[in-house]
Amino acid sequence: MAALRTFRKLCQHAQHHAYKLHTSAPRVAAVVISGKKLAWQIQEEARADVEDWVLTGHRRPHLSVVLVGDNPASHSYILNKTRAAADVGISSETIVKCSDISEEELLDLIYKLNTDHRVDGLLVQLPLPDYINERTICNAISPTKDVDGFHVVNVGRMCLDQSTMLPATPWGVWEIIKRTGIPTFGKNVLVAGRSKNVGMPIAMLLHTDGRHERPGGDATVTITHRYTPKDQLRQHTKIADIVVAAAGIPNLITADMIKEGAAVIDVGINRVTDPVSGKSRLVGDVDFEGVRQMAGFITPVPGGVGPMTVAMLMKNTIKAAKNVLLFPAERIRMAAAS
């Protein structure tokens, strides 16, 4: 009988522990990072910077935006940029050109804006018509006015860890990571996407030396792209402490691919048709609802990286205005002609 009682107690003890394990608190879903809130903080900093600049006797910074054609998405992006400029005290203008403008005519316009001392920041909204070479246009903008950070000089300086105009979206991703307190030193990072305007610059910012003139994140970075086999992509994402999705493929990153507690930054902007409502909606490259159950941090689409891109563009415009003190007019003219 004593042996039977002992056996029963052992069974009850085991059942009790099994119940505790089974009923333990479920894993808390990821912290959703609000790009809108962070962008508001940055725009507040920009507004204060502009006012200080003006109070010391300088002209208010001015941003010129060139739009070619009638792409609705481009019109929407530019409207967001000019509204943000007005909000922080930057004056701006949008120059709209017909979609049949020749490359030579567009280059002539850029030259005029390069040499106009009233214009501090200059950007040509991408994409451009197929017959216009985007690299030629990006390189035609004076590096000191290049608020998109796409000129080959600014790209080169970024790759050399030097202070320069950083591309707004990658800089926005970098600020999200830093301001959220996500550690990068010695961490594994997976960047899904190799575009020269987004994926490559993000990788550069995250892997370079934190002690250099333009401090980097000291992370170990792997870059994949749309042709990386899914099983290989999963091998990389499963060990990544930070996943940056920027490939332009809806639902590329799913919950089964994520290391528990990883930070997931979704740069993708994809327009898809909702199967239930039949309406068009924006989604990222990440299966948000699924991945947030595994991740530690995650950005939404919309409302994540997008607002940060606009905020960093304002920072670059202020930097462009201050370039007047760093670069004599002769150097600006030489850069514009190069």
Side-chain angles (χ1 to χ4, degrees), residues 7 24 84 93 95 115 121 135 146 178 207 276 282 293 305:
F7 178 73
S24 60
E93 64 174 337
I95 303 169
T115 53
R135 176 44 49 196
D146 171 34
K178 287 199 301 181
H207 93 268
V276 178
L282 287 179
Q293 303 306 318
V305 175

Side-chain angles (χ1 to χ4, degrees), residues 214-242:
R214 191 271 301 146
D218 288 305
T220 300
V221 180
T222 300
I223 302 177
T224 63
H225 47 79
R226 63 174 59 243
Y227 300 122
T228 301
K230 196 68 177 279
D231 59 335
Q232 291 185 26
L233 174 61
R234 182 179 284 105
Q235 290 175 20
H236 293 300
T237 56
K238 290 293 285 186
I239 64 170
D241 303 294
I242 302 171

Side-chain angles (χ1 to χ4, degrees), residues 251-274:
N251 293 325
L252 175 67
I253 307 297
T254 51
D256 61 307
M257 302 169 69
I258 296 298
K259 174 182 177 181
E260 186 173 343
V264 180
I265 311 297
D266 193 351
V267 188
I269 302 177
N270 309 290
R271 191 167 293 278
V272 300
T273 301
D274 191 296

Side-chain angles (χ1 to χ4, degrees), residues 166-182:
L166 295 175
T169 296
W171 190 11
V173 170
W174 177 232
E175 287 297 320
I176 285 174
I177 291 170
K178 287 199 301 181
R179 292 177 185 244
T180 306
I182 298 168

